[in-house]
Amino acid sequence: MNDQTENKSHRILVIDDTPDIHEDFRKILCNDRIGSSLDSHEAALFGDPAGLGNQSNFEVDSAYQGEQGLARVHHAIQEGRPYAIAFVDVRMPPGWDGLEVTPKLWIADPDLQIVICTAYSDYTWEEMFAKVGTSDRMFILKKPFEREEVLQLAHSLAEKGRAALQSKERLKRDFRA
């Protein structure tokens, strides 16, 4: 098995034109919150929802436009450290919007799991799926999102991607044998 399938650190790309959204994802997904006394008190009082808080370490990168996001995906693949998940905003003026960049991301990395994030969209659900296509690699998250929703999606999709990669490697190995 290679490092990507065994590594508990999953790479996530946030493509959104709003810097505060990037910070929100980092606060939710990065383990740098562990030492916070407020977080410790919150966990003691309310528990850790679904036990998701510290199961995995996520490495979160940022892109502020669709074009920049595609370049980051290409670079990650060249490094041999592809992203597991991209959280992509629908509206990112003036460049490519989320629905324009999503098919391009899948051409660059067919295994990439994509979460389309939207508060308001110029597209109906039907138009979104018509433009991007239906896929078991695309999910929609409505803004404002909840911490638990983001954690659940990130953990589930990262595990889904890891399992798919393991299966591909096993098939390659078995085919060669």
Side-chain angles (χ1 to χ4, degrees):
M1 208 94 24
N2 71 21
D3 290 340
Q4 185 68 20
T5 59
E6 291 178 354
N7 191 351
K8 289 292 278 183
S9 178
H10 301 285
R11 295 189 78 198
I12 294 178
L13 179 62
V14 176
I15 307 173
D16 195 298
D17 60 331
T18 307
D20 288 344
I21 295 293
H22 295 264
E23 187 58 32
D24 289 343
F25 277 106
R26 280 188 178 77
K27 286 177 185 174
I28 292 169
L29 297 171
C30 294
N31 283 339
D32 59 359
R33 298 184 57 202
I34 293 172
S36 165
S37 63
L38 179 59
D39 291 334
S40 300
H41 293 299
E42 181 181 344
L45 286 172
F46 304 111
D48 186 16
L52 295 174
N54 299 318
Q55 283 181 354
S56 295
N57 182 33
F58 294 102
E59 180 183 334
V60 178
D61 290 336
S62 294
Y64 295 92
Q65 290 291 308
E67 296 90 339
Q68 183 185 27
L70 181 60
R72 290 206 189 273
V73 167
H74 281 295
H75 183 71
I77 291 168
Q78 289 171 348
E79 286 182 324
R81 297 183 61 231
Y83 292 104
I85 307 163
F87 286 91
V88 182
D89 188 20
V90 170
R91 298 183 73 188
M92 293 180 283
W96 295 340
D97 69 18
L99 301 184
E100 289 174 279
V101 75
T102 294
K104 293 170 176 57
L105 294 172
W106 280 330
I107 290 169
D109 184 353
D111 296 320
L112 184 63
Q113 304 291 312
I114 295 183
V115 179
I116 300 288
C117 303
T118 181
Y120 168 81
S121 177
D122 294 331
Y123 306 100
T124 66
W125 296 112
E126 293 81 16
E127 290 170 328
M128 278 193 223
F129 287 113
K131 192 162 185 173
V132 175
T134 57
S135 174
D136 66 345
R137 295 169 291 148
M138 185 180 85
F139 303 85
I140 296 172
L141 178 65
K142 293 289 278 180
K143 293 179 186 176
F145 46 78
E146 296 291 327
R147 175 180 184 268
E148 293 78 14
E149 291 173 318
V150 172
L151 281 170
Q152 182 182 25
L153 274 170
H155 285 286
S156 296
L157 295 178
E159 179 59 24
K160 178 184 173 194
R162 186 199 59 75
L165 189 56
Q166 278 184 333
S167 294
K168 281 183 180 182
E169 288 177 357
R170 200 170 295 127
L171 282 172
K172 284 181 191 176
R173 191 175 52 244
D174 291 349
F175 184 71
R176 283 185 242 148

